[in-house]
Amino acid sequence: MLDILLRNVRLPDGRTTDIAMADGLVVHAGAGARAVEIIDCSAFLVLPGAVDMHVHMRGGARESRKEDWGTGSRAALAGGVTLVVDQPNTDPPLTTVEALRARVREAERDSLCHFAVNAGAVPGAPLRDLFREGAMAFGEIFLAPSTGAGGITAGEMGGLLAEIHALGAPVTIHAEEVKGVPGTDLASHGMSRPAEGEIRAIRKAQELAPRGMRLHFCHLSTAGAVDASAPHTSEVTPHHLLLSQEDFPAGDPRGKVNPPLRSSAERVKLLAAWDRARVLASDHAPHTREEKGAGFTRAPSGMPGVETLVPLFIPKVLSGEITPASLIEKTSVNPCSVLGIPAPGFRPAQRADFALYPKEVTMIRARDLHSRCGWTPFEGREAVFPSTVILGGEVVCRDGDFTRGNPRWFPGRGYHP
Ligand code: DOR
């Protein structure tokens, strides 16, 4: 007897089939069989669970007022994300084996979705031990200061990249340059972290990297940066693709993020580069409404986004603006290949994580979302949220109700327990 049978699933190539699951994996794609639960998917767009390879879940002893693994993972599942990769600019920073172990324990206790944890790469950090302890990747490595992280120098960067390459670990880079005084509104914030500086930082990292090393560049803000990052992989975010400085009042800290939102003309060019960016990730930074209300210079940079990552793009799939295959590549196939994680999908032996999206467009409202931060930069935008989410072959979210299934930790490939 199978666990779940999804009937009449339309595959990205246009064929319709049944997908059978057992023991957390897809076991059969073809004509149906008997199962504990049968779900007719004729009315749904079915996508493999998304992997958001760039979230800041916060939590820990010092940050639990903001977001924690309980609220953040509910937000993830409610948006069709079944695996998140947490970034290391936590408080305290994730640069010791003890901090990594504590972070994994915290997520094992509270997370409702699968998770992986990156380690920070700063001079003096025990990179070999962190990789053996299960760090998924090193980074994001900050080339310029950002929320909760100082930048590192070019000399330090060269040494760290050599060490990471010798370990065979993935590395992710936050490429930015900061110049002049900090901004006092969105335009001056953008000028203090210019688009050309992002491109220079990308080139610098490429020059410093040992021959043959693969780099992954996080949250690029312009099409020029995406092109400069080739042949390495790059990630784009919904906020840089869909929002620009003009969408916020000039001094509104909610639009403050690093790298900054650009002009609407730049945003349109970035969206046109959709096919050239390998990964779509949220950079979910769930600073609270109160923190964002502290005035422009004091407010932290960053905006929430894990729950809206995929839902913002479903209307574009339904209208034919983007293909379902391109969304699947950027939200599950490619992040998994960059990190070396087995991908969820429709074929036998693939992980049985799926999200079922109705074909009716709704509107994003902060009050309907699950992050503790209490706001969204996408208020009022069109989206489609999944009505059913399957994790490891079990329904874990249905019409807004969550069940704890079997969320797992995905250690990196250096893990030696
Ligand atoms: O705006 C940002 N906020 N950019 C980052 O890279 C970090 C993030 C955060 O952690 O809040």
Short mmCIF file of all heavy atoms in Angstrom, two decimals, residues 20-84:
data_model
loop_
_atom_site.label_atom_id
_atom_site.label_comp_id
_atom_site.label_asym_id
_atom_site.label_seq_id
_atom_site.Cartn_x
_atom_site.Cartn_y
_atom_site.Cartn_z
N ALA A 20 3.18 8.25 -7.28
CA ALA A 20 2.98 7.44 -6.07
C ALA A 20 4.16 7.60 -5.13
O ALA A 20 5.32 7.64 -5.58
CB ALA A 20 2.81 5.97 -6.47
N MET A 21 3.86 7.70 -3.83
CA MET A 21 4.93 7.91 -2.83
C MET A 21 4.88 6.86 -1.74
O MET A 21 3.79 6.46 -1.31
CB MET A 21 4.71 9.25 -2.12
CG MET A 21 4.86 10.43 -3.00
SD MET A 21 4.13 11.86 -2.16
CE MET A 21 3.03 12.40 -3.44
N ALA A 22 6.05 6.47 -1.28
CA ALA A 22 6.15 5.61 -0.10
C ALA A 22 7.50 5.86 0.56
O ALA A 22 8.49 6.13 -0.14
CB ALA A 22 6.01 4.13 -0.48
N ASP A 23 7.52 5.79 1.87
CA ASP A 23 8.76 5.96 2.65
C ASP A 23 9.54 7.21 2.26
O ASP A 23 10.76 7.19 2.17
CB ASP A 23 9.67 4.72 2.49
CG ASP A 23 8.95 3.46 2.95
OD1 ASP A 23 8.18 3.56 3.94
OD2 ASP A 23 9.13 2.41 2.32
N GLY A 24 8.82 8.27 2.01
CA GLY A 24 9.48 9.56 1.77
C GLY A 24 9.96 9.80 0.36
O GLY A 24 10.50 10.86 0.05
N LEU A 25 9.78 8.79 -0.52
CA LEU A 25 10.29 8.94 -1.89
C LEU A 25 9.18 8.70 -2.90
O LEU A 25 8.17 8.04 -2.60
CB LEU A 25 11.41 7.92 -2.15
CG LEU A 25 12.65 8.03 -1.26
CD1 LEU A 25 13.62 6.89 -1.57
CD2 LEU A 25 13.34 9.37 -1.42
N VAL A 26 9.38 9.21 -4.11
CA VAL A 26 8.50 8.86 -5.21
C VAL A 26 8.85 7.43 -5.60
O VAL A 26 10.04 7.10 -5.75
CB VAL A 26 8.72 9.82 -6.41
CG1 VAL A 26 8.00 9.34 -7.65
CG2 VAL A 26 8.27 11.22 -6.03
N VAL A 27 7.84 6.56 -5.71
CA VAL A 27 8.16 5.17 -6.07
C VAL A 27 7.68 4.82 -7.47
O VAL A 27 8.13 3.84 -8.04
CB VAL A 27 7.57 4.16 -5.05
CG1 VAL A 27 8.31 4.25 -3.73
CG2 VAL A 27 6.08 4.34 -4.85
N HIS A 28 6.79 5.64 -8.00
CA HIS A 28 6.23 5.25 -9.28
C HIS A 28 5.61 6.48 -9.94
O HIS A 28 4.94 7.27 -9.28
CB HIS A 28 5.15 4.20 -9.03
CG HIS A 28 4.51 3.68 -10.27
ND1 HIS A 28 5.19 2.94 -11.20
CD2 HIS A 28 3.24 3.80 -10.74
CE1 HIS A 28 4.37 2.63 -12.19
NE2 HIS A 28 3.19 3.14 -11.93
N ALA A 29 5.84 6.65 -11.22
CA ALA A 29 5.13 7.68 -11.97
C ALA A 29 4.47 6.96 -13.13
O ALA A 29 5.15 6.41 -13.97
CB ALA A 29 6.11 8.74 -12.47
N GLY A 30 3.15 6.92 -13.13
CA GLY A 30 2.45 6.19 -14.17
C GLY A 30 1.03 5.93 -13.70
O GLY A 30 0.56 6.59 -12.78
N ALA A 31 0.38 4.93 -14.28
CA ALA A 31 -1.03 4.69 -13.92
C ALA A 31 -1.11 4.33 -12.43
O ALA A 31 -0.22 3.69 -11.89
CB ALA A 31 -1.57 3.57 -14.77
N GLY A 32 -2.20 4.76 -11.80
CA GLY A 32 -2.36 4.72 -10.35
C GLY A 32 -2.39 3.34 -9.72
O GLY A 32 -2.42 2.31 -10.37
N ALA A 33 -2.32 3.35 -8.38
CA ALA A 33 -2.36 2.13 -7.58
C ALA A 33 -3.13 2.45 -6.31
O ALA A 33 -3.64 3.56 -6.16
CB ALA A 33 -0.94 1.70 -7.28
N ARG A 34 -3.19 1.49 -5.35
CA ARG A 34 -3.91 1.74 -4.10
C ARG A 34 -3.02 2.54 -3.14
O ARG A 34 -1.82 2.30 -3.06
CB ARG A 34 -4.30 0.42 -3.46
CG ARG A 34 -5.66 -0.06 -3.96
CD ARG A 34 -5.91 -1.52 -3.75
NE ARG A 34 -5.18 -2.15 -2.68
CZ ARG A 34 -5.66 -2.34 -1.43
NH1 ARG A 34 -6.85 -1.91 -1.10
NH2 ARG A 34 -4.94 -2.99 -0.53
N ALA A 35 -3.62 3.47 -2.40
CA ALA A 35 -2.82 4.28 -1.49
C ALA A 35 -3.68 4.68 -0.29
O ALA A 35 -4.91 4.64 -0.36
CB ALA A 35 -2.34 5.54 -2.21
N VAL A 36 -3.01 5.05 0.81
CA VAL A 36 -3.73 5.50 2.00
C VAL A 36 -4.53 6.76 1.68
O VAL A 36 -5.66 6.93 2.10
CB VAL A 36 -2.73 5.78 3.16
CG1 VAL A 36 -3.44 6.34 4.37
CG2 VAL A 36 -1.95 4.53 3.51
N GLU A 37 -3.91 7.64 0.91
CA GLU A 37 -4.61 8.87 0.53
C GLU A 37 -4.43 9.12 -0.96
O GLU A 37 -3.31 9.04 -1.48
CB GLU A 37 -4.07 10.06 1.33
CG GLU A 37 -4.77 11.33 0.93
CD GLU A 37 -4.55 12.51 1.86
OE1 GLU A 37 -3.77 12.40 2.82
OE2 GLU A 37 -5.19 13.55 1.58
N ILE A 38 -5.54 9.44 -1.63
CA ILE A 38 -5.47 9.75 -3.06
C ILE A 38 -5.90 11.21 -3.23
O ILE A 38 -6.95 11.61 -2.71
CB ILE A 38 -6.37 8.82 -3.89
CG1 ILE A 38 -5.85 7.37 -3.74
CG2 ILE A 38 -6.40 9.24 -5.35
CD1 ILE A 38 -6.65 6.33 -4.46
N ILE A 39 -5.07 12.01 -3.89
CA ILE A 39 -5.41 13.43 -4.09
C ILE A 39 -5.51 13.68 -5.58
O ILE A 39 -4.53 13.46 -6.32
CB ILE A 39 -4.33 14.35 -3.47
CG1 ILE A 39 -4.13 14.04 -1.97
CG2 ILE A 39 -4.71 15.81 -3.66
CD1 ILE A 39 -2.99 14.81 -1.31
N ASP A 40 -6.68 14.14 -6.01
CA ASP A 40 -6.84 14.47 -7.43
C ASP A 40 -6.24 15.85 -7.69
O ASP A 40 -6.65 16.83 -7.07
CB ASP A 40 -8.32 14.44 -7.81
CG ASP A 40 -8.49 14.76 -9.30
OD1 ASP A 40 -7.50 14.64 -10.05
OD2 ASP A 40 -9.60 15.16 -9.70
N CYS A 41 -5.26 15.91 -8.58
CA CYS A 41 -4.53 17.17 -8.82
C CYS A 41 -4.97 17.88 -10.10
O CYS A 41 -4.29 18.82 -10.55
CB CYS A 41 -3.03 16.89 -8.87
SG CYS A 41 -2.40 16.29 -7.30
N SER A 42 -6.11 17.46 -10.68
CA SER A 42 -6.54 18.07 -11.96
C SER A 42 -6.63 19.59 -11.86
O SER A 42 -6.36 20.29 -12.83
CB SER A 42 -7.91 17.58 -12.39
OG SER A 42 -8.00 16.21 -12.23
N ALA A 43 -7.04 20.07 -10.68
CA ALA A 43 -7.27 21.52 -10.56
C ALA A 43 -6.04 22.27 -10.04
O ALA A 43 -6.12 23.46 -9.74
CB ALA A 43 -8.45 21.77 -9.62
N PHE A 44 -4.90 21.56 -9.90
CA PHE A 44 -3.74 22.19 -9.27
C PHE A 44 -2.52 22.21 -10.19
O PHE A 44 -2.35 21.34 -11.04
CB PHE A 44 -3.34 21.42 -8.00
CG PHE A 44 -4.40 21.45 -6.94
CD1 PHE A 44 -5.25 20.36 -6.76
CD2 PHE A 44 -4.56 22.56 -6.14
CE1 PHE A 44 -6.23 20.39 -5.79
CE2 PHE A 44 -5.54 22.60 -5.16
CZ PHE A 44 -6.38 21.52 -4.98
N LEU A 45 -1.68 23.21 -9.94
CA LEU A 45 -0.33 23.19 -10.48
C LEU A 45 0.52 22.51 -9.40
O LEU A 45 0.57 22.98 -8.26
CB LEU A 45 0.14 24.63 -10.71
CG LEU A 45 1.58 24.82 -11.13
CD1 LEU A 45 1.81 24.29 -12.55
CD2 LEU A 45 1.96 26.31 -11.08
N VAL A 46 1.14 21.39 -9.74
CA VAL A 46 1.93 20.65 -8.75
C VAL A 46 3.42 20.92 -9.01
O VAL A 46 3.91 20.71 -10.12
CB VAL A 46 1.66 19.13 -8.84
CG1 VAL A 46 2.47 18.38 -7.79
CG2 VAL A 46 0.17 18.85 -8.68
N LEU A 47 4.10 21.42 -7.99
CA LEU A 47 5.54 21.67 -8.12
C LEU A 47 6.29 20.87 -7.05
O LEU A 47 5.76 20.67 -5.95
CB LEU A 47 5.87 23.15 -7.90
CG LEU A 47 5.28 24.17 -8.87
CD1 LEU A 47 5.84 25.56 -8.55
CD2 LEU A 47 5.58 23.83 -10.33
N PRO A 48 7.51 20.46 -7.34
CA PRO A 48 8.33 19.87 -6.26
C PRO A 48 8.52 20.92 -5.16
O PRO A 48 8.52 22.12 -5.44
CB PRO A 48 9.67 19.58 -6.95
CG PRO A 48 9.37 19.58 -8.42
CD PRO A 48 8.22 20.51 -8.62
N GLY A 49 8.67 20.47 -3.92
CA GLY A 49 8.92 21.41 -2.82
C GLY A 49 10.10 22.29 -3.14
O GLY A 49 11.10 21.83 -3.70
N ALA A 50 10.00 23.58 -2.81
CA ALA A 50 11.09 24.50 -3.12
C ALA A 50 12.19 24.40 -2.07
O ALA A 50 11.93 24.09 -0.91
CB ALA A 50 10.57 25.92 -3.21
N VAL A 51 13.42 24.66 -2.52
CA VAL A 51 14.58 24.75 -1.62
C VAL A 51 14.98 26.21 -1.59
O VAL A 51 15.43 26.74 -2.61
CB VAL A 51 15.74 23.87 -2.14
CG1 VAL A 51 16.99 24.07 -1.30
CG2 VAL A 51 15.31 22.41 -2.16
N ASP A 52 14.77 26.87 -0.46
CA ASP A 52 15.19 28.27 -0.36
C ASP A 52 16.59 28.27 0.25
O ASP A 52 16.75 28.07 1.45
CB ASP A 52 14.20 29.07 0.51
CG ASP A 52 14.50 30.57 0.47
OD1 ASP A 52 15.60 30.95 0.02
OD2 ASP A 52 13.62 31.35 0.90
N MET A 53 17.58 28.47 -0.62
CA MET A 53 18.97 28.32 -0.14
C MET A 53 19.51 29.56 0.53
O MET A 53 20.71 29.66 0.80
CB MET A 53 19.90 27.81 -1.25
CG MET A 53 20.20 28.75 -2.38
SD MET A 53 21.40 28.04 -3.56
CE MET A 53 22.95 28.26 -2.69
N HIS A 54 18.63 30.51 0.86
CA HIS A 54 19.14 31.73 1.53
C HIS A 54 18.09 32.30 2.47
O HIS A 54 17.30 33.17 2.09
CB HIS A 54 19.54 32.76 0.47
CG HIS A 54 20.45 33.82 1.02
ND1 HIS A 54 21.71 34.05 0.53
CD2 HIS A 54 20.29 34.69 2.03
CE1 HIS A 54 22.29 35.02 1.21
NE2 HIS A 54 21.43 35.44 2.13
N VAL A 55 18.07 31.80 3.71
CA VAL A 55 17.16 32.38 4.71
C VAL A 55 17.96 32.71 5.98
O VAL A 55 18.98 32.10 6.26
CB VAL A 55 16.00 31.42 5.09
CG1 VAL A 55 15.19 31.03 3.87
CG2 VAL A 55 16.50 30.18 5.82
N HIS A 56 17.45 33.69 6.71
CA HIS A 56 18.01 34.05 8.02
C HIS A 56 16.90 33.79 9.03
O HIS A 56 16.05 34.63 9.24
CB HIS A 56 18.40 35.53 8.04
CG HIS A 56 19.41 35.92 7.00
ND1 HIS A 56 20.77 35.94 7.25
CD2 HIS A 56 19.27 36.31 5.71
CE1 HIS A 56 21.42 36.33 6.16
NE2 HIS A 56 20.53 36.56 5.21
N MET A 57 16.91 32.59 9.62
CA MET A 57 15.78 32.24 10.50
C MET A 57 15.84 32.91 11.86
O MET A 57 14.90 32.84 12.62
CB MET A 57 15.70 30.72 10.69
CG MET A 57 15.10 30.00 9.51
SD MET A 57 13.43 30.59 9.17
CE MET A 57 12.95 29.55 7.83
N ARG A 58 16.99 33.52 12.19
CA ARG A 58 17.15 34.12 13.53
C ARG A 58 16.93 33.06 14.60
O ARG A 58 17.33 31.94 14.43
CB ARG A 58 16.20 35.32 13.73
CG ARG A 58 16.21 36.31 12.58
CD ARG A 58 17.57 36.92 12.32
NE ARG A 58 17.53 37.86 11.22
CZ ARG A 58 18.59 38.28 10.55
NH1 ARG A 58 19.80 37.85 10.84
NH2 ARG A 58 18.47 39.14 9.57
N GLY A 59 16.24 33.40 15.69
CA GLY A 59 16.11 32.44 16.79
C GLY A 59 17.33 32.50 17.68
O GLY A 59 17.97 33.55 17.79
N GLY A 60 17.70 31.38 18.27
CA GLY A 60 18.81 31.37 19.20
C GLY A 60 18.42 32.10 20.48
O GLY A 60 17.36 32.72 20.56
N ALA A 61 19.30 32.07 21.46
CA ALA A 61 18.96 32.64 22.76
C ALA A 61 18.70 34.14 22.66
O ALA A 61 17.85 34.68 23.34
CB ALA A 61 20.10 32.36 23.72
N ARG A 62 19.43 34.82 21.76
CA ARG A 62 19.35 36.28 21.77
C ARG A 62 18.40 36.88 20.75
O ARG A 62 18.24 38.08 20.70
CB ARG A 62 20.75 36.85 21.50
CG ARG A 62 21.73 36.46 22.57
CD ARG A 62 22.95 37.34 22.48
NE ARG A 62 24.14 36.57 22.78
CZ ARG A 62 25.34 36.84 22.30
NH1 ARG A 62 25.52 37.84 21.48
NH2 ARG A 62 26.36 36.11 22.63
N GLU A 63 17.82 36.05 19.89
CA GLU A 63 17.05 36.65 18.79
C GLU A 63 15.63 36.11 18.68
O GLU A 63 14.97 36.32 17.66
CB GLU A 63 17.74 36.36 17.45
CG GLU A 63 19.07 37.02 17.28
CD GLU A 63 19.66 36.67 15.92
OE1 GLU A 63 19.76 35.46 15.62
OE2 GLU A 63 19.97 37.58 15.16
N SER A 64 15.15 35.40 19.71
CA SER A 64 13.90 34.68 19.53
C SER A 64 12.67 35.59 19.44
O SER A 64 11.62 35.17 19.01
CB SER A 64 13.72 33.66 20.65
OG SER A 64 13.87 34.33 21.87
N ARG A 65 12.82 36.87 19.82
CA ARG A 65 11.67 37.78 19.65
C ARG A 65 11.36 37.97 18.17
O ARG A 65 10.28 38.35 17.80
CB ARG A 65 12.01 39.18 20.14
CG ARG A 65 12.12 39.45 21.55
CD ARG A 65 12.69 40.84 21.79
NE ARG A 65 14.02 41.03 21.20
CZ ARG A 65 14.28 41.82 20.17
NH1 ARG A 65 13.33 42.49 19.58
NH2 ARG A 65 15.51 41.94 19.71
N LYS A 66 12.39 37.81 17.31
CA LYS A 66 12.23 38.17 15.90
C LYS A 66 11.50 37.08 15.15
O LYS A 66 10.38 37.24 14.70
CB LYS A 66 13.61 38.34 15.27
CG LYS A 66 14.28 39.65 15.58
CD LYS A 66 15.72 39.64 15.13
CE LYS A 66 15.89 40.13 13.73
NZ LYS A 66 16.19 41.55 13.69
N GLU A 67 12.15 36.00 14.99
CA GLU A 67 11.64 34.86 14.24
C GLU A 67 12.28 33.68 14.94
O GLU A 67 13.31 33.84 15.61
CB GLU A 67 12.15 34.95 12.80
CG GLU A 67 11.70 33.86 11.85
CD GLU A 67 10.32 34.14 11.25
OE1 GLU A 67 9.31 34.07 12.00
OE2 GLU A 67 10.25 34.42 10.05
N ASP A 68 11.73 32.50 14.83
CA ASP A 68 12.45 31.33 15.30
C ASP A 68 12.14 30.20 14.34
O ASP A 68 11.41 30.39 13.36
CB ASP A 68 12.12 31.00 16.77
CG ASP A 68 10.63 30.77 16.98
OD1 ASP A 68 9.97 30.27 16.03
OD2 ASP A 68 10.11 31.08 18.07
N TRP A 69 12.70 29.04 14.62
CA TRP A 69 12.51 27.95 13.65
C TRP A 69 11.04 27.54 13.56
O TRP A 69 10.60 27.08 12.50
CB TRP A 69 13.37 26.75 14.05
CG TRP A 69 14.80 26.93 13.64
CD1 TRP A 69 15.83 27.32 14.45
CD2 TRP A 69 15.34 26.75 12.33
NE1 TRP A 69 16.99 27.40 13.70
CE2 TRP A 69 16.72 27.05 12.41
CE3 TRP A 69 14.79 26.37 11.10
CZ2 TRP A 69 17.56 26.97 11.31
CZ3 TRP A 69 15.64 26.29 9.99
CH2 TRP A 69 16.98 26.59 10.10
N GLY A 70 10.27 27.73 14.63
CA GLY A 70 8.85 27.37 14.57
C GLY A 70 8.10 28.29 13.62
O GLY A 70 7.44 27.84 12.68
N THR A 71 8.22 29.60 13.83
CA THR A 71 7.47 30.54 12.97
C THR A 71 8.05 30.56 11.55
O THR A 71 7.31 30.58 10.57
CB THR A 71 7.50 31.97 13.56
OG1 THR A 71 8.86 32.33 13.83
CG2 THR A 71 6.68 32.06 14.83
N GLY A 72 9.38 30.56 11.45
CA GLY A 72 10.01 30.64 10.13
C GLY A 72 9.71 29.42 9.27
O GLY A 72 9.48 29.53 8.07
N SER A 73 9.68 28.23 9.90
CA SER A 73 9.44 27.02 9.09
C SER A 73 7.96 26.90 8.71
O SER A 73 7.63 26.37 7.64
CB SER A 73 9.92 25.77 9.82
OG SER A 73 9.17 25.57 11.00
N ARG A 74 7.07 27.44 9.54
CA ARG A 74 5.65 27.48 9.15
C ARG A 74 5.48 28.38 7.93
O ARG A 74 4.77 28.06 6.98
CB ARG A 74 4.78 28.02 10.28
CG ARG A 74 4.31 26.98 11.23
CD ARG A 74 3.37 27.59 12.28
NE ARG A 74 2.88 26.55 13.16
CZ ARG A 74 3.63 25.91 14.07
NH1 ARG A 74 4.90 26.23 14.22
NH2 ARG A 74 3.10 24.96 14.82
N ALA A 75 6.16 29.54 7.98
CA ALA A 75 6.12 30.47 6.84
C ALA A 75 6.63 29.76 5.58
O ALA A 75 6.05 29.88 4.50
CB ALA A 75 6.94 31.71 7.15
N ALA A 76 7.73 29.01 5.74
CA ALA A 76 8.30 28.31 4.59
C ALA A 76 7.28 27.34 3.99
O ALA A 76 6.96 27.41 2.79
CB ALA A 76 9.57 27.56 5.01
N LEU A 77 6.73 26.47 4.84
CA LEU A 77 5.78 25.45 4.34
C LEU A 77 4.56 26.12 3.71
O LEU A 77 4.08 25.68 2.65
CB LEU A 77 5.33 24.52 5.47
CG LEU A 77 6.36 23.51 5.99
CD1 LEU A 77 5.74 22.67 7.09
CD2 LEU A 77 6.90 22.62 4.88
N ALA A 78 4.06 27.19 4.34
CA ALA A 78 2.86 27.86 3.82
C ALA A 78 3.13 28.44 2.43
O ALA A 78 2.20 28.73 1.69
CB ALA A 78 2.41 28.94 4.79
N GLY A 79 4.41 28.62 2.09
CA GLY A 79 4.76 29.12 0.76
C GLY A 79 5.31 28.04 -0.15
O GLY A 79 5.90 28.36 -1.19
N GLY A 80 5.17 26.77 0.22
CA GLY A 80 5.61 25.68 -0.67
C GLY A 80 7.10 25.40 -0.59
O GLY A 80 7.64 24.67 -1.42
N VAL A 81 7.79 25.96 0.41
CA VAL A 81 9.23 25.71 0.59
C VAL A 81 9.37 24.58 1.61
O VAL A 81 8.91 24.71 2.74
CB VAL A 81 9.95 26.98 1.11
CG1 VAL A 81 11.38 26.67 1.50
CG2 VAL A 81 9.90 28.09 0.06
N THR A 82 10.01 23.49 1.21
CA THR A 82 10.12 22.35 2.13
C THR A 82 11.52 22.18 2.69
O THR A 82 11.75 21.34 3.56
CB THR A 82 9.66 21.04 1.44
OG1 THR A 82 10.40 20.88 0.23
CG2 THR A 82 8.18 21.06 1.15
N LEU A 83 12.50 22.93 2.18
CA LEU A 83 13.87 22.87 2.73
C LEU A 83 14.46 24.28 2.71
O LEU A 83 14.41 24.95 1.67
CB LEU A 83 14.72 21.92 1.90
CG LEU A 83 16.06 21.43 2.49
CD1 LEU A 83 16.53 20.18 1.76
CD2 LEU A 83 17.16 22.45 2.48
N VAL A 84 14.97 24.70 3.87
CA VAL A 84 15.60 26.03 3.93
C VAL A 84 17.06 25.88 4.33
O VAL A 84 17.43 24.96 5.06
CB VAL A 84 14.89 26.96 4.96
CG1 VAL A 84 13.48 27.29 4.53
CG2 VAL A 84 14.90 26.35 6.36
#
